[in-house]
Amino acid sequence: MPRFHVVRDPSVDDPVANLAGVSDKTEAKLARLGIATIRDLLLFFPRRYDDFSTITPIAFVRPGVKTTVRGRIYDIGARQTKYKRMALTEAVLSDDSGSLRVVWFNQPWLVKSLQKGDEIFVAGEADMNGGLVMKNPDHEKVSLRPKNVARLVPIYRETEGLTSKWLRPKIQMVLPLADQLDEFLPAELLTRRELMARAEAVRQVHYPASAARLDRARDRLAFEEMFVLQVAAQMAKRARMARSAPVVPFDEPTARGFVRALPFKLTNAQRVAAWQILQDLARPAPMNRLLEGDVGSGKTVVAAMAMHHAAHAGFQSVLLAPTEILARQHADVIQSILEPFQIDVGLLVGSTPASARKPMLASLAQGQLPVLIGTHALIEEDVQFKDLALSVVDEQHRFGVGQRLAVRQKTERTPHFLSMTATPIPRTLGLTLFGDLDISILDEMPPGRRPVKTGLVPPGKRADAYNFIRKQVEAGRQVFVICPLIQESDKLGVRSATQELEKLQRDVFPELASRIALLHGRLKTTEKESVMSAFKRGEVAILVSTSVVEVGIDIPNATVMMIEGADRFGLAQLHQFRGRVGRGSDESWCFLFTDAEDPPSLKRLQAVVTNKSGFDLAEIDLDLRGWGDLAGYRQHGKDFKMANLLDAALISDAQSEAVRLFERDPTLAGEQGLRRQLSAYRQVFALD
Ligand code: ADP
Ligand code: MG
């Protein structure tokens, strides 16, 4: 009986290993670039292009200019260089206008693949070296479909041993399979906005037929990224708006009464933010708002005002802090603000004894305790409310998203949600990343705060800075020392901080050794808490900490913030560290230690010296290093390949298209492909 082999067409879901010329070794290298399947390979977009699209007659080749030439090999040969004994392949190319010498180093095999009489493209820069010579150009035999030269040539992100030159033919080989990729943009939208089809865009982005086609391909791909994100955001928003929340009616006399009782006047920014929040609380759908403001901008009192309003309407509120110490600090502050109104504040932390805990839980469940403050983990665990209207989270997640509190209560209603952060997120970026989030910004400091004097400390000035710090400690002040993560493997920074501690205790401040303490990510919660308490009490004079540990506590007596390896941090992050000092009445300082000598790094750091606004610094960083470096962004878990997250027009277009789509097809029933794409955002937006 004859046997038939079923030959299946290659599929984009096939592993790259199926491709000819991909060994186990290359497979591993491809994996490092995140490429496992043919689909991944197709969606591995070039970083940039070299423009070899115009061919220059040899007579017009100029030294120092990237040029593509098409010529016939007049002569070719191999020899060794005299001094370094390098293999040298030399050729002479000629066209109608003249001839050009071309030299390749260390590519002896070229004499075998290129022969006298072949017509080739070469692309590179020519030098004057006793006549014009083009050294180590890219080359390709003339064919109908040139791959590497004579057009816009894709340059890919490379990894060791895997060059663009290697990737190009592999990608070109699978380009026809692009037709199998899902076209998930709604057909109506594609036509109306005249977007390039997905398969075509993928092909064009690798091998553009022209600069204009490339632009259209990129537009399409950027739009699809932003659109999927905005659809996910709208989906989350619609789900939220469909839930019901406790209505806390806005009551002007109550608001006035609160403000009047404060020992200070609210800043304008605080007034606006509080007003926005109180308006949200009065709506029947749950609020999802981020309150953003530099350290010290006064977020707590804004939250307290909302809690006060809720309590007046007979509802409960909860505030969650990342650490016990912060929870205590908040409880102290909020209690003193709410006391005049006879609003009780309960504190629930790990160390709360069972004897206090039981009655507190009972009164929460019965609705007798209007305000609870505590640590995140604890409250999500076993607390039940009678009628919770508002939950506030302080600094738990840097961006305050992806966070649906699992707080339980007896009613079906979803509490309003407010997260607070000191991470400055430029507004466009906020809108991009959190389409389902409303943002209030405190961009104004309470009056009378003294700016922190900031200085760059090059290696030569280290001793002076240490002397200065010693004097501050002798005068009874306290010091923070922040260490960067030096090795990738040391994710918690245990090593760098431990080394810093040893150095300070042994070599720099031996006389203070017993008053220097260490805080890092591997310490148990209770250990962290006890170190921070000792610092708060003043027993510890110098606190060495990694950047991964959020200290976040208010230490008015701390006057020096010293940051090691400052060039390794984002500007906004440096600014946040700086905000931990300067909270008392004394003058304070921030020292940025750096070994960097390159002008760009120094210029970046100089921006922190001269600039006092976290928002400005975040934008400068975005400008200089791109959004990928924004602290905490990676937490968001989604990378963008094409979309520029600061492109306001793109964002608003994508957003309005997303809204429009839901108006037309509220369940996305007709958009199967799109629904599949959304899965990437499931976690981010807690979609289900
Ligand atoms: P953060 O935004 O960092 O959480 P806080 O809420 O801890 O800031 O406020 C920092 C300090 O500023 C607190 O001591 C607070 O009482 C004080 N404060 C807040 N708002 C004002 C204001 N409008 N005028 C004066 N002081 C204020
Ligand atoms: Mg705070």
Side-chain angles (χ1 to χ4, degrees), residues 129-435:
N129 197 346
L132 270 182
V133 186
M134 196 180 267
K135 287 181 187 149
N136 283 330
D138 279 340
H139 75 278
E140 191 176 305
K141 287 196 196 175
V142 171
S143 70
L144 288 177
R145 303 195 59 194
K147 280 192 286 284
N148 287 342
V149 294
R151 53 156 76 206
L152 291 175
V153 178
I155 310 291
Y156 297 95
R157 185 157 62 86
E158 299 182 354
T159 184
E160 213 189 304
L162 210 60
T163 60
S164 288
K165 194 159 181 165
W166 186 91
L167 279 163
R168 280 178 210 134
K170 300 288 178 294
I171 290 178
Q172 197 169 45
M173 192 160 70
V174 298
L175 278 188
L177 300 184
D179 286 323
Q180 291 178 24
L181 296 172
D182 241 358
E183 174 54 85
F184 56 79
L185 287 185
E188 181 272 333
L189 191 154
L190 272 175
T191 331
R192 185 164 40 78
R193 297 194 78 95
E194 297 180 346
L195 292 170
M196 191 179 262
R198 187 157 187 240
E200 176 64 4
V202 166
R203 278 194 287 264
Q204 287 295 327
V205 89
H206 288 291
Y207 286 98
S210 67
R213 308 277 288 163
L214 174 59
D215 278 348
R216 287 202 55 212
R218 284 171 142 171
D219 283 351
R220 141 83 210 206
L221 295 169
F223 185 87
E224 82 176 40
E225 267 180 348
M226 191 55 75
F227 180 72
V228 175
L229 175 71
Q230 295 300 337
V231 168
Q234 286 306 313
M235 203 164 170
K237 183 168 191 167
R238 291 173 72 94
R240 170 163 66 87
M241 296 316 261
R243 285 195 289 267
S244 76
V247 174
V248 179
F250 178 67
D251 184 62
E252 197 169 323
T254 303
R256 280 185 193 286
F258 178 86
V259 173
R260 215 177 307 119
L262 290 175
F264 45 72
K265 220 169 139 253
L266 288 180
T267 63
N268 241 343
Q270 285 172 317
R271 239 196 306 271
V272 170
W275 191 83
Q276 290 169 331
I277 293 167
L278 296 185
Q279 295 302 308
D280 282 356
L281 294 183
R283 298 200 178 99
M287 165 173 81
N288 187 24
R289 188 172 283 278
L290 174 67
L291 178 60
E292 220 189 317
D294 268 4
V295 175
S297 60
K299 296 183 285 291
T300 318
V301 66
V302 174
M305 185 162 176
M307 295 174 132
H308 171 258
H309 228 76
H312 253 266
F315 291 105
Q316 293 170 297
S317 306
V318 61
L319 186 150
L320 310 180
T323 64
E324 179 160 342
I325 248 192
L326 270 174
R328 285 181 188 284
Q329 189 174 295
H330 276 307
D332 285 349
V333 170
I334 291 174
Q335 190 152 35
S336 72
I337 296 177
L338 297 183
E339 208 147 44
F341 305 99
Q342 281 87 47
I343 298 173
D344 284 345
V345 174
L347 173 70
L348 191 58
V349 289
S351 61
T352 308
S355 56
R357 191 183 173 91
K358 269 218 176 110
M360 199 184 304
L361 291 181
S363 60
L364 281 168
Q366 285 154 22
Q368 284 151 358
L369 183 58
V371 174
L372 177 68
I373 292 170
T375 45
H376 195 270
L378 201 74
I379 288 179
E380 282 204 341
E381 219 166 84
D382 62 350
V383 178
Q384 183 145 137
F385 294 88
K386 173 155 185 285
D387 217 347
L388 184 67
L390 172 65
S391 49
V392 184
V393 173
D394 189 31
E395 300 289 357
Q396 172 64 18
H397 290 269
R398 294 208 140 155
F399 282 155
V401 281
Q403 165 94 2
R404 277 276 144 246
L405 284 181
V407 178
R408 269 161 297 191
Q409 63 170 333
K410 290 181 171 165
T411 69
E412 286 292 285
R413 289 180 296 196
T414 307
H416 298 283
F417 182 66
L418 177 69
S419 56
M420 306 197 287
T421 182
T423 303
I425 308 162
R427 194 175 273 277
T428 49
L429 192 65
L431 290 177
T432 310
L433 297 181
F434 325 118

Side-chain angles (χ1 to χ4, degrees), residues 466-514:
Y466 285 144
N467 280 334
F468 183 89
I469 289 171
R470 185 173 291 113
K471 291 217 183 78
Q472 285 287 307
V473 174
E474 279 165 6
R477 306 285 173 261
Q478 289 165 282
V479 178
F480 286 101
V481 179
I482 304 285
C483 311
L485 301 184
I486 295 169
Q487 291 160 307
E488 187 59 26
S489 59
D490 186 23
K491 287 206 172 63
L492 297 172
V494 179
R495 219 179 130 120
S496 67
T498 310
Q499 281 167 356
E500 180 72 20
L501 176 86
E502 282 166 7
K503 184 182 91 186
L504 293 179
Q505 286 183 328
R506 203 182 44 216
D507 308 331
V508 186
F509 305 118
E511 73 283 9
L512 294 169
S514 63

